[in-house]
Amino acid sequence: MHDSTHNAQAPAEAARFWDNLYRGKDAVWKGDPNPVLAETAAQLSPPGRALDLGCGEGGDTVWLATHGWHVTAVDIAPTALQRLTQHAARAGVTDRVSTQQHDLAETCPAGTFDLVSAQYLQTPYDLPRADILRQAAHALTPGGLLLIVDHGSVRPWAWNTDPDTRFPRPEEIFDELALDPARFTPARLATPEREATGPNGQSATVTDTVITIRRT
């Protein structure tokens, strides 16, 4: 009985955590696209339908929409989706953006997509990530691309600053998805470094874990 009560409360607790994070500041992020997403999507032509998992305030979504993509933007936090809608309106791309509220541990958006983006889909709460990303891969159109970018090093501004944190290698993350090799091919497995700026202006050299998977 205790376990079922905890499980029933967990989605609501996660939703409150993320919504409170956004409500606590006028803007949590700068509104710029994640660089690996911009680099990857710029190589895909023509732009088609994209799914942005854990879209936050919409920097990636709006960038994709301004570059011709039709984007379904998904997040657990209503406040984040409201800010995304405002951002899209200022950019004049509301006709190419659709927002949906989902706790991805419970529900996922329907449809098929030419690009699925999962940028830093990491949380202090339990999340069946492999299941979510496997479902995302199966939502790709033939030739479509799943782009996963995770944190690969400790960031000074993160909720977890434990220097002994172990970050899985991209090969481990790909293997965990257990995708049919006849239908899915890893296009990139890499750990590039970049200079990053935190929400309060801190800067640091960080490592990204990048996995791109193409559906054949």
Side-chain angles (χ1 to χ4, degrees):
M1 183 69 170
H2 174 76
D3 287 344
S4 64
T5 301
H6 173 77
N7 291 340
Q9 293 174 343
E13 184 180 347
R16 283 194 298 271
F17 170 85
W18 286 107
D19 207 50
N20 287 339
L21 175 71
Y22 288 105
R23 288 185 179 187
K25 297 182 178 180
D26 291 337
V28 174
W29 309 112
K30 294 183 296 181
D32 298 329
N34 284 300
V36 177
L37 170 70
E39 171 194 339
T40 303
Q43 300 174 30
L44 302 177
S45 182
R49 298 186 304 278
L51 173 62
D52 188 0
L53 296 175
C55 61
E57 294 164 314
D60 290 341
T61 291
V62 171
W63 186 92
L64 287 167
T66 58
H67 287 77
W69 292 84
H70 289 265
V71 189
T72 298
V74 175
D75 204 274
I76 194 173
T79 299
L81 294 174
Q82 291 167 6
R83 291 182 181 173
L84 187 158
T85 299
Q86 294 165 357
H87 188 180
R90 290 192 298 269
V93 293
T94 53
D95 59 329
R96 292 199 290 272
V97 173
S98 171
T99 60
Q100 295 184 21
Q101 183 183 356
H102 287 271
D103 178 346
L104 293 171
E106 301 291 319
T107 60
C108 290
T112 58
F113 305 92
D114 305 297
L115 171 65
V116 178
S117 174
Q119 302 289 304
Y120 310 105
L121 190 64
Q122 295 163 294
T123 174
Y125 291 87
D126 288 338
L127 188 71
R129 257 182 45 109
D131 293 340
I132 294 166
L133 295 173
R134 187 180 305 110
Q135 185 169 344
H138 285 278
L140 291 171
T141 57
L145 199 71
L146 168 61
L147 171 62
I148 304 163
V149 181
D150 286 348
H151 297 298
S153 63
V154 172
R155 295 156 300 135
W157 50 83
W159 62 71
N160 176 14
T161 56
D162 182 354
D164 296 324
T165 299
R166 181 186 179 277
F167 295 90
R169 293 180 295 108
E171 293 83 1
E172 293 177 79
I173 296 170
F174 174 74
D175 289 345
E176 188 180 13
L177 302 188
L179 296 168
D180 181 354
R183 300 172 63 195
F184 299 95
T185 303
R188 184 184 182 192
L189 301 172
T191 53
E193 290 186 343
R194 62 182 173 89
E195 292 300 311
T197 303
N200 295 319
Q202 317 96 307
S203 62
T205 301
V206 300
T207 300
D208 287 325
T209 301
V210 179
I211 304 98
T212 59
I213 302 167
R214 188 173 299 280
R215 180 167 186 169
T216 56

